[in-house]
């Protein structure tokens, strides 16, 4: 398979109230079961909840206004010293260019900075690409949840729970 060019620059910023439409469209492009704007607003309003959006600056390739195109997102929650990666996705056209890597790294660092010592996530047992991404960032399987995902076609799929030691991965917390 031909290697796609890495983007010139990936910019990560916190999701704000004006990003809900963009976030919902991105989520829909990544998952069979789309989350609505109100679902996303609810998640972001939870105590400790935050979202990150990845934007690409590619000069000549993505010119003018589109030079700040939103191409991926992550959603996280921190509760005391534990954090959870609730969702991560990159629009299909922009995959395998390091966007999720940047988002995951920034999510882990943000959670660590506000006091989380560990990060947990669930990933479908058949989502091998995402599992590889997580393993490359220090996540290990710590459990299996049968029938965790209910797909629109009626299929039920198990999930692995994965955990990462943020202290070892990201260093000391700047948080409380
Ligand atoms: C999983 C997902 C977020 C990865 O995004 P991405 O921007 O393409 O990931 P990256 O380019 O940062 O990939 C980093 C590494 O992860 C691994 N990886 C990512 N996608 C992969 C795939 N489809 N197959 C195999 N390995 C993959 C590779 O090791 C990759 O490094 P490489 O490209 O140098 O080989 C993206 O495919 C996606 O949005 N999928 C649909 C939503 C989803 O499954 N989210 C996770 C739910 S738990």
């Amino acid at each position: 398979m031909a290697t796609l060019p890495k983007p010139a620059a990936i910019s990560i910023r916190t999701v704000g109230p004006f990003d809900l439409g963009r976030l919902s469209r991105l989520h829909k492009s990544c998952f069979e079961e789309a989350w609505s704007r109100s679902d996303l607003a609810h998640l972001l309003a939870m105590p400790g909840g935050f979202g990150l959006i990845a934007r690409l600056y590619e000069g000549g390739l993505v010119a003018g206004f589109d030079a700040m195109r939103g191409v991926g997102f992550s959603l996280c929650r921190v509760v005391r010293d534990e954090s959870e990666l609730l969702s991560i996705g990159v629009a299909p056209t922009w995959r395998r260019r390091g966007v999720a890597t940047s988002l995951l790294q920034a999510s882990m660092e943000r959670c660590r900075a506000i006091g989380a010592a560990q990060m947990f996530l669930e990933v479908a047992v058949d989502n091998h690409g995402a599992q590889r991404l997580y393993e490359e960032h220090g996540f290990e399987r710590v459990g299996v949840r049968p029938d965790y995902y209910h797909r629109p076609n009626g299929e039920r799929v198990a999930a692995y729970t994965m955990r990462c030691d943020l202290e070892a991965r990201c260093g000391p917390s700047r948080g409380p």
Side-chain angles (χ1 to χ4, degrees):
M1 193 177 80
T3 309
L4 293 166
K6 301 282 180 198
I10 300 168
S11 157
I12 308 284
R13 68 164 169 76
T14 305
V15 168
F18 297 111
D19 292 317
L20 285 178
R22 180 178 297 120
L23 194 56
S24 162
R25 284 192 295 279
L26 276 172
H27 189 280
K28 190 174 180 180
S29 74
C30 294
F31 294 96
E32 286 177 324
E33 197 170 342
W35 291 352
S36 68
R37 288 167 68 127
S38 63
D39 293 335
L40 292 162
H42 176 73
L43 281 178
L44 292 168
M46 289 189 305
F50 70 88
L52 299 178
I53 198 150
R55 296 182 304 161
L56 289 189
Y57 296 82
E58 276 206 308
L61 185 58
V62 186
F65 190 68
D66 281 340
M68 295 186 351
R69 184 191 295 265
V71 296
F73 69 94
S74 65
L75 296 167
C76 302
R77 188 176 186 202
V78 180
V79 179
R80 291 186 288 277
D81 64 346
E82 289 192 357
S83 60
E84 188 178 2
L85 183 72
L86 301 168
S87 189
I88 187 168
V90 175
T93 325
W94 299 98
R95 289 180 188 163
R96 301 308 288 271
R97 303 184 193 202
V99 176
T101 297
S102 297
L103 279 165
L104 184 55
Q105 187 65 35
S107 301
M108 293 163 66
E109 285 170 4
R110 173 78 67 93
C111 289
R112 180 67 191 133
I114 53 183
Q118 307 189 81
M119 180 176 263
F120 291 87
L121 60 84
E122 263 83 35
V123 57
V125 294
D126 59 0
N127 192 346
H128 303 292
Q131 286 168 37
R132 192 163 148 199
L133 169 73
Y134 300 141
E135 282 161 5
E136 284 171 1
H137 285 80
F139 283 81
E140 294 172 339
R141 288 183 204 170
V142 291
V144 184
R145 297 182 147 201
D147 297 336
Y148 187 77
Y149 295 105
H150 295 193
R151 295 203 166 134
N153 65 2
E155 190 187 4
R156 291 176 178 229
V157 181
Y160 293 124
T161 299
M162 301 185 81
R163 179 175 62 83
C164 178
D165 179 344
L166 294 182
E167 201 166 4
R169 195 78 194 178
C170 307
S173 167
R174 299 194 305 269

